[in-house]
Amino acid sequence: MTATTANRRRWDPIVRITHWSVAIAVLANAVITEEGSGPHIWVGYALAAILALRLLWGLVGPPEARFSAFWPSPRKALGHLREIRAGKRTAHASHNPLGALMVYAIWGTLLTIIATGIAMAGPPPWDGAERGEGRHVAVAPGHAGERGEDGGEREDGEEGEEGEEGPLGEIHETAANLLYLLILLHLAGVIFETRRNGRQVLVAMAPIGR
Ligand code: HEM
Ligand code: HEM
């Protein structure tokens, strides 16, 4: 197989649209929205809906988008590493076995972020003032906040609300940091694969085009 062989079809539109929507939502919540603000939570719920669609697609979508096409398998991932080391190039109809591990790691981390985020945010409205209700957060009183400069977004009215959000907030933040690391590794993997095998992986995931 040469690097220019078009041996790979494009991912179907749902995979491509959900991929880029998830990426945009993660980027928005990581760098644009105020942590815990209304927009952060709206984007978060949108992210949850998009991910739900992709996971449903993993059950009912076309064969290469289904979980059955890329079950996580450390054994296959090691085999794939050996192939890379031996300079062998293999075509994969779905994610390659290493990529598959990364996909599940990203999904698992996103689900953790979403679950803790929703548990903290509770039902709408999420205009900051209302969010104090129904939250299952244990807040250490008097824990003056790093986010005190939120500009009044978080007037929950209780002492210490500006500070740590208890275990849920800790898990949410830790998972977000883990996600950033995974994304860096993901991008490194995409770059590596592109250098090794040409641009097929990128072309297959391109947001537009047939
Ligand atoms: C990948 C997307 C997301 C990223 C990168 C992200 C990141 C963060 C970070 C870094 C914080 C501050 C945590 C802390 O200091 O305690 C935060 C807070 C928060 N996030 Fe997210 N988040 C994301 C998704 C979500 C989702 C899906 C929801 C809910 C639907 C959500 C709801 C919240 C809430 C309610 C807070 C406030 C907790 C606090 O005040 O500490 N987030 N988020
Ligand atoms: C926040 C940023 C990102 C996240 C969370 C993310 C996450 C993911 C996930 C979950 C998949 C699996 C797709 C599926 O089966 O539904 C995937 C695949 C992929 N992503 Fe990303 N991604 C991000 C950014 C990017 C960027 C910036 C690029 C390109 C420069 C990229 C290129 C790809 C490619 C080419 C694949 C397919 C890999 C394969 O063929 O196995 N991703 N990504």
Side-chain angles (χ1 to χ4, degrees):
M1 191 184 92
T2 67
T4 50
T5 311
N7 66 340
R8 170 156 200 154
R9 290 193 302 122
R10 299 221 183 213
W11 288 100
D12 67 80
I14 298 286
V15 168
R16 287 190 275 158
I17 290 167
T18 54
H19 176 263
W20 292 109
S21 309
V22 164
I24 289 168
V26 167
L27 199 69
N29 267 3
V31 299
I32 301 172
T33 64
E34 193 89 50
E35 295 162 1
S37 65
H40 184 89
I41 297 169
W42 276 110
V43 170
Y45 270 90
L47 171 66
I50 300 160
L51 189 60
L53 171 61
R54 173 59 183 102
L55 296 181
L56 181 68
W57 207 235
L59 297 173
V60 302
E64 67 277 6
R66 293 196 186 193
F67 304 127
S68 53
F70 59 103
W71 285 126
S73 162
R75 193 180 51 81
K76 284 191 186 160
L78 282 176
H80 185 64
L81 272 179
R82 275 193 294 272
E83 285 170 1
I84 291 175
R85 232 173 327 149
K88 269 198 231 158
R89 293 178 177 182
T90 40
H92 298 273
S94 187
H95 300 298
N96 75 45
L98 268 184
L101 291 187
M102 177 56 75
V103 171
Y104 287 105
I106 291 178
W107 281 342
T109 309
L110 281 174
L111 288 174
T112 305
I113 292 173
I114 289 167
T116 50
I118 288 177
M120 288 189 291
W126 305 298
D127 57 1
E130 303 290 335
R131 279 206 305 105
E133 291 164 26
R135 288 204 284 170
H136 317 283
V137 290
V139 177
H143 223 103
E146 317 108 60
R147 285 188 307 289
E149 70 285 353
D150 266 10
E153 274 290 355
R154 316 196 48 250
E155 291 168 3
D156 294 324
E158 297 295 326
E159 73 281 63
E161 285 286 345
E162 300 166 287
E164 294 292 322
E165 288 292 315
L168 288 174
E170 292 283 338
I171 297 170
H172 192 76
E173 193 175 15
T174 308
N177 288 331
L178 174 62
L179 182 66
Y180 304 150
L181 179 68
L182 292 177
I183 290 169
L184 287 181
L185 290 174
H186 170 52
L187 296 182
V190 170
I191 291 168
F192 178 79
E193 184 61 24
T194 304
R195 291 172 67 116
R196 199 171 85 92
N197 261 341
R199 291 162 51 90
Q200 297 101 310
V201 280
L202 277 177
V203 171
M205 192 52 93
I208 47 172
R210 288 171 299 110

